[in-house]
Amino acid sequence: MQARFYRALYRIRRVEEEIAAVYPTDKIKSPVHLSIGQEAVSVGVCEALRADDVVFGSYRSHALYLAKGGNLRRMIAELYGKADGCAKGKGGSMHLIDIEARVMGASAVVGTTIPQAVGFAYALKLQRKDSVVASFFGDGAVDEGVFYESLNFAALKGLPIIFVCENNRYAIHTHQLKRQKLDNICDRARAHGLPAEQIPNNDVQGIYEHISQSVGQLRAGSPGPFFFECLTYRLKEHVGPNDDFQLGYRTQEEAEAWVKSDPIEQLRAHLDAAERRRIEREVEDEIKDAFSFAEQSPWPHAAELYTDVYDE
Amino acid sequence: MQARFYRALYRIRRVEEEIAAVYPTDKIKSPVHLSIGQEAVSVGVCEALRADDVVFGSYRSHALYLAKGGNLRRMIAELYGKADGCAKGKGGSMHLIDIEARVMGASAVVGTTIPQAVGFAYALKLQRKDSVVASFFGDGAVDEGVFYESLNFAALKGLPIIFVCENNRYAIHTHQLKRQKLDNICDRARAHGLPAEQIPNNDVQGIYEHISQSVGQLRAGSPGPFFFECLTYRLKEHVGPNDDFQLGYRTQEEAEAWVKSDPIEQLRAHLDAAERRRIEREVEDEIKDAFSFAEQSPWPHAAELYTDVYDE
Amino acid sequence: MRRNFTQTSMTSDTKRELSYIDAVREATDQEMARDSSVILFGLDVDDPKAIQGTTRGLLEKFGPERVFGTPLSEDAMTGVAIGAALAGLRPVHVHIRMDFLMLAMNQLINIAAKSRYMYGGQVQVPIVVRSMIGKSWGQGAQHSQGLYSFFMHVPGLKVVAPTTPYDAKGCLVHAIRDNDPVMYVEHRILHFQRGPVPETAYTVTPGKARITASGTDVTLVGISYMQVECLRARRYLESVGIDAEVIDPIWLSPLDIDTIVESVRKTGRLCVVDNGWVACGASAEIVALVIERLQQIRPVVVRRLGFAPVTCPPTPILENLYYPNASTIASAVYDLVRGGDNGWMPKERLDLQEIQFRGPF
Amino acid sequence: MRRNFTQTSMTSDTKRELSYIDAVREATDQEMARDSSVILFGLDVDDPKAIQGTTRGLLEKFGPERVFGTPLSEDAMTGVAIGAALAGLRPVHVHIRMDFLMLAMNQLINIAAKSRYMYGGQVQVPIVVRSMIGKSWGQGAQHSQGLYSFFMHVPGLKVVAPTTPYDAKGCLVHAIRDNDPVMYVEHRILHFQRGPVPETAYTVTPGKARITASGTDVTLVGISYMQVECLRARRYLESVGIDAEVIDPIWLSPLDIDTIVESVRKTGRLCVVDNGWVACGASAEIVALVIERLQQIRPVVVRRLGFAPVTCPPTPILENLYYPNASTIASAVYDLVRGGDNGWMPKERLDLQEIQFRGPF
Ligand SMILES: Cc1ncc(C[n+]2csc(CCOP(=O)(O)OP(=O)(O)O)c2C)c(N)n1
Ligand SMILES: Cc1ncc(C[n+]2csc(CCOP(=O)(O)OP(=O)(O)O)c2C)c(N)n1
Ligand SMILES: [Mg+2]
Ligand SMILES: [Mg+2]
């Protein structure tokens, strides 16, 4: 398991580091909301999911997309705006999708995929499927009314869905406590009849165990939903490839605690050196391949502008 | 106090009974959402408010409007669509307003006046006024996301506002527990950091005391908001003048408990007969006067169609 | 492009008459029976009033998983419909008033309309959003709006506003089978219309307008409930020797402009009567399209009619002035045809009176 | 009705140049200093980026009660603005993208637009809703929409889309003083414009368009950012001997149609270039109004240009085709003036290149 976690975390981290490195060249003509520092949540959750389980995310979904098995080549091509992108260049980094991997969408409007995840879960239940849905969103989405409406309906119908709040404490530059009187997101979920738990500190193992347990209960047919608030931390600026401590809305010190407890470092220590090097080599090769794939992918044809508006 | 309560409750009840009696004549060309059975909530709250305190309500606001001191003649004229109506016939029964009485508006879209009440409270705080706002809404409004967004912001800013949920258990014909998993509206408010209390059974005295206490604290400058869930019961159909037990979504038995505990009957028992008769006579005279005022009021001029769209 | 009324499956069975309400109900019933992926939900679809009867009996027939009332959560429930559609269902989401769609705009405009495109054609959102426009009996500011031009403005949505029981059924059957989001616009007064409706399922497909009465002097396009007023206006105009061709666009997006253009090519005069406000409305679009198509080909005079540019007043005395009606339409068309401002206004004919509608709602 | 540019207070001080961003900031600053009832809020108005600088320094100057960031609650915060306005404040509510207004539609359409009317003229809702249209750098489906035609459609709202720093300040000063709800539409690219801006507070009042370049052959109406592209297109057209008059409506509601009609009466040709979709958009309304006014008075040819009728694609190769630009506008106008389909397209001139805008946002 530790090797699995390490590979998944290291891979996402390195992909995003490459994105950040390439960004100044303007080859990526798209905003990028990097997950660097938050990988543990997507990995912990998705490692506990089955291939036919479904996830929905936000504009900050690189980690989720990759953790759930989204195609790396097509993701980078999408950031490059190329024809082989996972949305043919028509989505961009904020709308990653991979139908095969059941990454069913990501939205640039905060909170908007939460009810879609609920609707998908409603369908799964009606269709008597035993797969489940995981809905990912940030602490900012908790400010939106649709969050409560969605939890209320999911609880009312006992749907097979797991809500995953990635609480990195900030909405852009505004701290949670400047937007919510209390630091009690789980209580808000409980008030709607959901069992809810807070998982501190990028605890990938803990997240994995909690989600595995909930998924097990859902597959066994007991009613959902479940709610988890995963405390995590965004190390880069809200959007873009850089650090932003100079802006002054947060301190370097605040970040250091998270850097120290970075699960990637922790896991690295536990891994046999040879295996670690093998994993890292494979990942580096895969990343090189993905970026050159994106480089070589053609631009979409002009005719693509008019396709996919309606069913043709 | 009991005489005050009795007068206020009896007056509202009788006004609405008259509306129901007149309705079949089609003189009231407007939907009417009667408060019969729910008067105790508006009376209990408004008796604890000052003239310069502000209220916002829903399309079911006849009781609120009258309890807060809204002009009866102009209310009936509004239902008749006449020029002397409280909105010149341009609002109708769902949009009652009386600026002098600080009844600042009612909306036909469920939940929409809640954030307006919050905004008004924000202004009062900024203006260093010591008056407070009371926001009235039903259990159906609790389903709407804007309810949570509004509570969250009011709590975050500690605003001088009291939220009053008139829980009559139904949204049109749909019971609360078909829309919300748990019967725990107060917990939902508490999760947003509001002190919240449920007041059972049309307890006009209890409502009055709770509100008085909260208003006292707000005037003394301690931060709001406060939340109260007042259990009550609508005796007539959702909209219109009739009973609706034949529809089968609720039972006559369910209603009987509320009829038995009707605060109007209870208070009547405690009143000296002479005083009671005096109150009732005065109220009956006032009602007769109001309906003939509405009858005699002219229709709006055709030119009124185009006024009040923009500032002229 | 033009659809010939008599050549549709109408002929198969013209005897049976249904109300618009029953036509909507039957379309839903038949499609739900045909396709188990169709579900129906919305506030009060399962309550005793059953959305004026349009959902009557469906809960009993298809069960509470496929037919259910919802919390008052228009925003989330629209997202739920989209999510269910992504999973392969075909949700029909019902709103008792179009005004309430303003709470669902984010999901409709930012998600439903855009998902197919922004996901590179890999997903589709086959949802039907039914909503009703209110009128009369003090509906007032917030229960009377016809806001479909918002949805005509945004690529990715389809919009239909059937005016007859026949089209109500045929358009709903198509809308449910359509793989794109369809805004299905009803009108409370039209609900009381009765007309021939075949028992078998049939479709009235997008992009086909219908000439509901042919004429040579002027082209009258009536949208939603205004189609009824236009047909009445035509009778008034007959009495003064003006022969109006009346067109029902039925589908507003995609819009069958060809049928309208062909008619105006013949008449040279166009009056569009909308069941909404004029500014940036359906009438503006239709006038602009016709002008773009016929300019330099033949001279055309145009006129737009719609709600007065004010908020809807509940008092009947003002509400009557707020809406176009057969007389005011006839009067405007008279001027359009004869030229100038003639001040002619027909007397209300009782035999043309609208179906009486009594409140409360 | 027509506003003469040189006769405004421009003359008072034409030396000082400001960016659009600073013009917005200065207008807000001056009005907040003048009137203590003005408050400013919205997501991130108080954060380090200060809405591209348009709110920079205002928190420090006016304090956290009058300038504050909000939770992500567009619906409720719009209601809060309305409620505060009912209590006598003049809120300015800021949204970093117009797309997010779809979450506020219920409060804007059902309450803000209707309160004065449905309460019989006893209340007013003097709010200003600032929102920005995004463009380029992968903004894509949900960060690029220009949806102001929705607000032009609904009586009770005013809509303004200033294109120059001068108008940005003058219109915002007026909007804050206006007693009706004003939708104040900005464009991310226009933010980088620089131009003369008087230091003193002045107003650019509703219902007055501006002729930004006079001409005789064709009338070019450019809305929001498209005003810039129209002025560039005019230069291209000059090179082939076509003399275009360019008009900036500035205020879209109330709309100064007189100035446009007078221009078309002279040129006989109208091309409206909108920063949004065409169907039921501002261009449809302007074309319909002009035709209604000039029909039977003089022949007119019209053309509408706007976003391609698709969802906005982020990839630059398709995004370039999605938007009208100086060349495509010039090409369309060339055909409108010369007649037929000439396929003429000017070569991009670097001296007319748009202000370069680099991401991420
Ligand atoms: C409805 C809406 N309002 C505002 C924005 C602007 N915005 C983009 S990201 C963001 C912050 C969201 O914070 P959070 O949900 O915590 O996600 P995080 O960025 O921390 O991952 C905001 C306010 C938006 N995209 N959508
Ligand atoms: C946003 C919205 N959705 C639906 C409706 C239709 N509707 C009118 S009243 C009502 C029930 C509201 O119930 P509640 O809030 O409990 O108030 P009550 O009628 O019980 O006083 C509904 C669903 C509406 N007016 N507004
Ligand atoms: Mg966050
Ligand atoms: Mg209720």
Side-chain angles (χ1 to χ4, degrees):
Chain A
M1 212 58 226
Q2 290 199 328
R4 285 182 63 92
F5 286 146
Y6 182 71
R7 163 184 283 279
L9 291 167
Y10 179 83
R11 177 167 174 265
I12 295 167
R13 174 70 55 90
R14 286 290 303 118
V15 167
E16 291 206 303
E17 285 173 350
E18 276 310 298
I19 290 169
V22 168
Y23 207 74
T25 67
D26 288 355
K27 284 176 180 168
I28 297 172
K29 292 180 174 52
S30 172
V32 289
H33 300 77
L34 301 181
S35 305
I36 290 176
Q38 306 190 189
E39 304 90 342
V41 182
S42 293
V43 170
V45 173
C46 293
E47 286 293 332
L49 297 178
R50 226 164 50 188
D52 63 342
D53 293 328
V54 173
V55 299
F56 285 85
S58 75
Y59 51 87
R60 192 183 307 284
S61 286
H62 295 172
L64 174 60
Y65 174 96
L66 292 172
K68 187 59 173 63
N71 182 301
L72 175 59
R73 284 176 151 198
R74 301 198 61 197
M75 168 181 151
I76 304 301
E78 187 63 31
L79 269 54
Y80 276 61
K82 297 299 192 72
D84 296 311
C86 59
K88 302 196 291 182
K90 293 175 162 186
S93 75
M94 301 193 288
H95 302 294
L96 297 180
I97 184 165
D98 186 319
I99 303 293
E100 291 67 42
R102 306 274 273 173
V103 178
M104 285 308 294
S107 171
V109 184
V110 171
T112 48
T113 62
I114 300 174
Q116 287 144 49
V118 172
F120 204 108
Y122 188 90
L124 291 175
K125 189 174 182 218
L126 182 67
Q127 295 158 341
R128 305 290 182 263
K129 304 249 177 79
D130 76 339
S131 46
V132 307
V133 178
S135 169
F136 287 73
F137 49 87
D139 50 293
V142 172
D143 297 356
E144 295 282 359
V146 72
F147 167 78
Y148 300 94
E149 293 183 352
S150 300
L151 264 59
N152 181 59
F153 182 75
L156 185 67
K157 299 294 183 183
L159 300 181
I161 180 169
I162 298 169
F163 295 100
V164 180
C165 178
E166 294 189 68
N167 187 355
N168 61 11
R169 298 298 184 190
Y170 293 94
I172 306 188
H173 311 118
T174 304
H175 192 276
Q176 176 188 359
L177 292 179
K178 281 187 68 180
R179 298 175 285 108
Q180 301 164 19
K181 184 181 177 188
L182 305 173
D183 170 14
N184 70 336
I185 289 174
C186 283
D187 292 340
R188 294 171 181 226
R190 291 185 192 107
H192 288 272
L194 287 79
E197 235 172 308
Q198 186 186 65
I199 306 173
N201 199 11
N202 275 336
D203 176 8
V204 63
Q205 182 69 37
I207 294 169
Y208 171 78
E209 283 159 13
H210 278 97
I211 300 293
S212 301
Q213 193 187 21
S214 306
V215 170
Q217 293 179 36
L218 292 174
R219 293 215 207 283
S222 55
F226 293 91
F227 188 96
F228 294 100
E229 178 191 15
C230 302
L231 298 186
T232 186
Y233 198 76
R234 162 173 57 81
L235 290 169
K236 296 289 178 186
E237 60 190 331
H238 166 70
V239 57
N242 308 309
D243 294 343
D244 67 355
F245 298 103
Q246 79 289 353
L247 289 180
Y249 72 94
R250 60 177 185 174
T251 65
Q252 187 93 49
E253 295 62 53
E254 184 180 87
E256 265 151 21
W258 293 92
V259 174
K260 277 207 200 64
S261 65
D262 182 353
I264 298 185
E265 295 312 317
Q266 312 239 322
L267 284 162
R268 178 180 277 126
H270 293 77
L271 282 187
D272 150 79
E275 182 177 22
R276 205 197 79 213
R277 273 194 303 280
R278 184 179 51 73
I279 290 171
E280 292 173 359
R281 206 178 317 102
E282 288 170 7
V283 167
E284 298 302 335
D285 293 347
E286 188 193 2
I287 292 173
K288 262 192 215 58
D289 164 75
F291 277 82
S292 61
F293 174 85
E295 295 269 359
Q296 283 145 39
S297 174
W299 292 107
H301 287 295
E304 275 291 329
L305 178 66
Y306 293 99
T307 60
D308 304 321
V309 181
Y310 294 101
D311 188 23
E312 280 120 18
Chain B
M1 210 60 225
Q2 292 199 325
R4 284 182 65 92
F5 286 147
Y6 181 71
R7 165 185 281 281
L9 292 168
Y10 179 82
R11 178 167 173 263
I12 296 167
R13 174 70 56 89
R14 288 290 302 120
V15 167
E16 291 206 303
E17 285 172 348
E18 276 311 297
I19 290 169
V22 169
Y23 207 75
T25 67
D26 288 357
K27 284 176 179 169
I28 297 173
K29 291 178 176 50
S30 171
V32 288
H33 300 77
L34 302 181
S35 304
I36 290 175
Q38 305 191 190
E39 304 90 342
V41 181
S42 292
V43 170
V45 172
C46 292
E47 286 292 333
L49 297 179
R50 226 165 48 189
D52 64 343
D53 293 329
V54 174
V55 298
F56 285 85
S58 76
Y59 50 87
R60 193 182 307 284
S61 286
H62 295 172
L64 174 60
Y65 174 95
L66 292 172
K68 187 58 172 65
N71 182 302
L72 174 60
R73 285 177 149 198
R74 302 197 63 198
M75 167 180 151
I76 304 301
E78 187 64 32
L79 269 54
Y80 275 62
K82 298 299 191 73
D84 295 311
C86 59
K88 301 197 290 184
K90 293 176 164 186
S93 75
M94 300 193 289
H95 302 292
L96 298 179
I97 186 164
D98 187 319
I99 303 293
E100 291 66 42
R102 306 274 273 173
V103 178
M104 284 309 295
S107 171
V109 184
V110 171
T112 47
T113 63
I114 300 173
Q116 287 144 49
V118 172
F120 205 108
Y122 189 91
L124 291 175
K125 188 172 183 221
L126 182 65
Q127 295 158 342
R128 305 290 183 262
K129 304 248 176 80
D130 76 340
S131 46
V132 307
V133 179
S135 169
F136 287 72
F137 49 88
D139 50 294
V142 172
D143 297 355
E144 294 281 359
V146 73
F147 167 77
Y148 300 94
E149 294 183 352
S150 301
L151 263 59
N152 181 58
F153 182 74
L156 185 68
K157 299 294 182 181
L159 301 181
I161 181 169
I162 298 169
F163 295 99
V164 179
C165 177
E166 294 189 69
N167 186 354
N168 62 11
R169 298 298 184 191
Y170 293 94
I172 307 188
H173 311 119
T174 305
H175 191 277
Q176 177 188 359
L177 292 179
K178 281 187 68 179
R179 297 176 284 107
Q180 300 165 20
K181 184 181 178 188
L182 305 174
D183 171 14
N184 69 337
I185 290 174
C186 283
D187 291 340
R188 294 171 182 226
R190 290 185 194 109
H192 288 271
L194 285 78
E197 231 170 312
Q198 186 186 67
I199 307 173
N201 198 11
N202 277 335
D203 176 6
V204 62
Q205 183 69 38
I207 294 168
Y208 171 77
E209 283 160 12
H210 278 97
I211 300 292
S212 301
Q213 193 187 20
S214 305
V215 169
Q217 292 180 36
L218 291 174
R219 293 217 207 282
S222 56
F226 293 91
F227 188 96
F228 294 99
E229 177 191 15
C230 302
L231 298 185
T232 186
Y233 198 75
R234 163 173 57 80
L235 290 168
K236 295 292 178 186
E237 60 190 328
H238 166 70
V239 56
N242 307 308
D243 294 343
D244 67 356
F245 298 102
Q246 78 290 353
L247 288 180
Y249 72 95
R250 60 178 184 173
T251 65
Q252 188 93 50
E253 295 63 53
E254 184 181 85
E256 265 149 21
W258 293 93
V259 174
K260 278 206 200 64
S261 65
D262 182 351
I264 299 186
E265 295 312 317
Q266 311 238 325
L267 283 161
R268 177 178 280 128
H270 293 78
L271 281 188
D272 149 78
E275 181 175 24
R276 205 195 80 212
R277 273 193 303 279
R278 185 178 51 73
I279 290 173
E280 292 173 359
R281 205 178 317 103
E282 287 169 7
V283 167
E284 298 302 334
D285 293 346
E286 189 193 0
I287 292 172
K288 262 191 216 58
D289 163 76
F291 278 81
S292 61
F293 174 83
E295 295 270 359
Q296 281 144 40
S297 174
W299 292 107
H301 287 296
E304 275 291 327
L305 178 67
Y306 293 98
T307 60
D308 304 322
V309 180
Y310 295 101
D311 188 24
E312 280 119 20
Chain C
M1 200 91 179
R2 188 181 310 184
R3 180 188 192 77
N4 186 321
F5 195 88
T6 59
Q7 273 167 20
T8 66
S9 41
M10 284 299 301
T11 49
S12 69
D13 162 3
T14 38
K15 258 153 250 56
R16 192 182 70 144
E17 287 224 336
L18 282 189
S19 72
Y20 192 115
I21 287 171
D22 292 332
V24 168
R25 205 206 63 76
E26 183 170 88
T28 314
D29 187 352
Q30 290 177 344
E31 286 307 291
M32 291 189 77
R34 186 188 61 79
D35 180 351
S36 64
S37 69
V38 179
I39 63 172
L40 173 70
F41 63 87
L43 279 163
D44 311 320
V45 298
D46 60 349
D47 88 350
K49 299 245 169 119
I51 315 292
Q52 354 294 9
T54 58
T55 62
R56 175 100 50 221
L58 299 175
L59 168 65
E60 295 69 13
K61 184 165 178 184
F62 299 105
E65 271 193 307
R66 290 181 64 196
V67 179
F68 55 93
T70 72
L72 284 73
S73 305
E74 287 79 1
D75 184 1
M77 292 314 302
T78 306
V80 165
I82 295 167
L86 292 173
L89 299 186
R90 293 182 172 274
V92 179
H93 188 191
V94 186
H95 301 264
I96 196 85
R97 284 295 179 283
M98 190 167 210
D99 314 69
F100 308 154
L101 291 183
M102 294 304 95
L103 285 157
M105 289 298 277
N106 180 52
Q107 289 290 333
L108 293 170
I109 303 301
N110 287 330
I111 306 292
K114 295 170 171 50
S115 289
R116 184 188 292 274
Y117 196 92
M118 76 184 179
Y119 294 133
Q122 298 167 96
V123 304
Q124 59 185 26
V125 181
I127 63 173
V128 179
V129 179
R130 283 182 52 199
S131 67
M132 275 143 247
I133 301 169
K135 181 174 190 270
S136 81
W137 213 268
Q139 298 287 296
Q142 300 172 331
H143 278 58
S144 60
Q145 295 172 94
L147 299 167
Y148 37 78
S149 68
F150 291 4
F151 306 111
M152 295 169 68
H153 183 60
V154 179
L157 299 174
K158 291 176 180 171
V159 185
V160 64
T163 67
T164 64
Y166 177 84
D167 288 334
K169 179 176 176 180
C171 291
L172 185 53
V173 169
H174 174 86
I176 290 170
R177 297 178 186 181
D178 196 284
N179 289 328
D180 291 310
V182 178
M183 307 300 298
Y184 183 93
V185 181
E186 302 168 42
H187 192 292
R188 289 281 284 107
I189 306 291
L190 290 175
H191 271 166
F192 301 94
Q193 297 271 57
R194 293 188 61 80
V197 177
E199 269 165 40
T200 54
Y202 58 94
T203 62
V204 175
T205 50
K208 287 186 166 48
R210 173 173 294 126
I211 296 174
T212 52
S214 53
T216 55
D217 296 331
V218 58
T219 302
L220 253 179
V221 177
I223 298 169
S224 181
Y225 173 67
M226 286 302 150
Q227 174 64 203
V228 174
E229 297 289 355
C230 284
L231 287 169
R232 284 194 199 108
R234 181 171 185 278
R235 304 283 300 280
Y236 287 128
L237 291 163
E238 263 170 12
S239 67
V240 290
I242 293 174
D243 182 19
E245 180 149 286
V246 181
I247 296 178
D248 181 349
I250 307 175
W251 288 85
L252 297 171
S253 180
L255 177 69
D256 173 12
I257 198 63
D258 297 354
T259 297
I260 298 170
V261 165
E262 284 321 301
S263 175
V264 179
R265 188 193 299 274
K266 177 178 64 181
T267 64
R269 305 185 183 95
L270 171 65
C271 178
V272 184
V273 188
D274 196 7
N275 198 87
W277 290 299
V278 168
C280 297
S283 64
E285 181 61 19
I286 291 170
V287 163
L289 286 170
V290 168
I291 292 297
E292 286 166 337
R293 289 278 295 274
L294 291 179
Q295 61 190 353
Q296 288 167 310
I297 292 173
R298 65 113 64 233
V300 173
V301 290
V302 300
R303 180 73 194 267
R304 293 183 291 167
L305 297 174
F307 296 172
V310 307
T311 295
C312 181
T315 184
I317 200 94
L318 296 182
E319 195 197 34
N320 293 339
L321 303 170
Y322 174 77
Y323 292 108
N325 60 50
S327 303
T328 58
I329 294 165
S331 173
V333 171
Y334 186 96
D335 290 345
L336 192 67
V337 174
R338 299 283 154 86
D341 188 344
N342 309 279
W344 173 76
M345 176 80 71
K347 256 186 264 28
E348 265 289 338
R349 268 169 51 183
L350 292 174
D351 61 316
L352 298 184
Q353 275 291 327
E354 79 176 35
I355 312 96
Q356 271 313 323
F357 169 63
R358 266 182 89 257
F361 254 16
Chain D
M1 197 98 174
R2 187 180 311 185
R3 180 187 192 79
N4 186 320
F5 195 86
T6 58
Q7 274 166 21
T8 66
S9 41
M10 284 297 303
T11 49
S12 69
D13 162 4
T14 39
K15 258 152 248 55
R16 192 181 70 144
E17 287 224 335
L18 281 189
S19 71
Y20 193 115
I21 287 171
D22 292 331
V24 168
R25 204 205 64 76
E26 183 171 86
T28 314
D29 186 353
Q30 290 177 343
E31 286 306 292
M32 291 189 78
R34 184 188 63 78
D35 180 351
S36 64
S37 70
V38 180
I39 64 173
L40 173 71
F41 64 87
L43 279 163
D44 311 321
V45 298
D46 60 347
D47 88 349
K49 300 244 167 119
I51 314 293
Q52 354 290 16
T54 58
T55 62
R56 174 100 49 222
L58 300 175
L59 168 65
E60 296 70 12
K61 184 165 176 183
F62 299 106
E65 270 193 308
R66 291 182 63 195
V67 179
F68 56 94
T70 73
L72 284 74
S73 306
E74 287 79 1
D75 184 2
M77 292 313 303
T78 305
V80 164
I82 294 167
L86 291 173
L89 299 186
R90 293 182 171 275
V92 179
H93 188 192
V94 186
H95 300 265
I96 196 86
R97 283 295 179 284
M98 191 167 208
D99 313 70
F100 308 153
L101 291 184
M102 293 304 95
L103 285 156
M105 289 299 277
N106 181 53
Q107 290 291 332
L108 293 171
I109 302 301
N110 287 330
I111 306 290
K114 295 170 171 51
S115 290
R116 183 188 292 275
Y117 196 92
M118 75 183 179
Y119 295 132
Q122 298 168 96
V123 304
Q124 60 184 26
V125 181
I127 64 173
V128 179
V129 179
R130 283 182 52 201
S131 67
M132 276 144 247
I133 301 169
K135 180 174 191 271
S136 82
W137 212 267
Q139 298 287 296
Q142 300 171 332
H143 278 57
S144 59
Q145 295 172 93
L147 298 167
Y148 36 78
S149 68
F150 290 4
F151 306 111
M152 296 170 67
H153 184 59
V154 179
L157 299 174
K158 292 176 180 171
V159 185
V160 63
T163 67
T164 65
Y166 177 84
D167 289 334
K169 178 176 176 180
C171 291
L172 184 52
V173 168
H174 174 87
I176 291 171
R177 297 178 187 180
D178 196 286
N179 289 328
D180 292 310
V182 178
M183 307 300 299
Y184 183 93
V185 181
E186 302 168 43
H187 191 292
R188 289 281 283 104
I189 305 291
L190 290 175
H191 271 166
F192 301 94
Q193 298 272 57
R194 293 188 62 81
V197 177
E199 268 163 42
T200 54
Y202 59 94
T203 62
V204 175
T205 49
K208 286 185 166 51
R210 174 173 293 127
I211 296 175
T212 52
S214 53
T216 54
D217 297 330
V218 57
T219 302
L220 252 179
V221 177
I223 297 170
S224 181
Y225 172 67
M226 286 302 150
Q227 174 65 203
V228 174
E229 297 289 355
C230 284
L231 288 169
R232 285 196 198 109
R234 182 172 185 279
R235 304 282 300 279
Y236 287 128
L237 291 163
E238 263 172 10
S239 68
V240 290
I242 294 174
D243 182 19
E245 180 149 288
V246 181
I247 296 177
D248 181 350
I250 307 176
W251 288 85
L252 297 170
S253 181
L255 177 69
D256 173 12
I257 198 64
D258 297 354
T259 297
I260 297 170
V261 165
E262 284 321 300
S263 175
V264 179
R265 188 193 299 274
K266 177 178 63 181
T267 64
R269 305 187 184 95
L270 170 65
C271 179
V272 184
V273 189
D274 196 6
N275 198 87
W277 290 298
V278 168
C280 297
S283 65
E285 180 61 20
I286 291 170
V287 162
L289 286 171
V290 168
I291 292 298
E292 286 166 336
R293 289 277 297 273
L294 291 178
Q295 61 190 353
Q296 290 166 309
I297 292 173
R298 65 113 65 232
V300 172
V301 290
V302 301
R303 180 74 193 266
R304 293 183 291 166
L305 296 175
F307 296 172
V310 306
T311 295
C312 180
T315 183
I317 200 95
L318 296 182
E319 194 196 36
N320 293 339
L321 303 170
Y322 175 77
Y323 292 109
N325 60 50
S327 303
T328 57
I329 295 166
S331 173
V333 170
Y334 185 97
D335 291 345
L336 192 67
V337 173
R338 297 283 154 89
D341 188 344
N342 307 280
W344 173 77
M345 176 81 71
K347 256 188 264 17
E348 265 290 338
R349 269 170 50 184
L350 292 173
D351 61 315
L352 299 184
Q353 274 292 324
E354 80 177 33
I355 314 96
Q356 270 314 322
F357 168 63
R358 265 183 88 257
F361 254 15

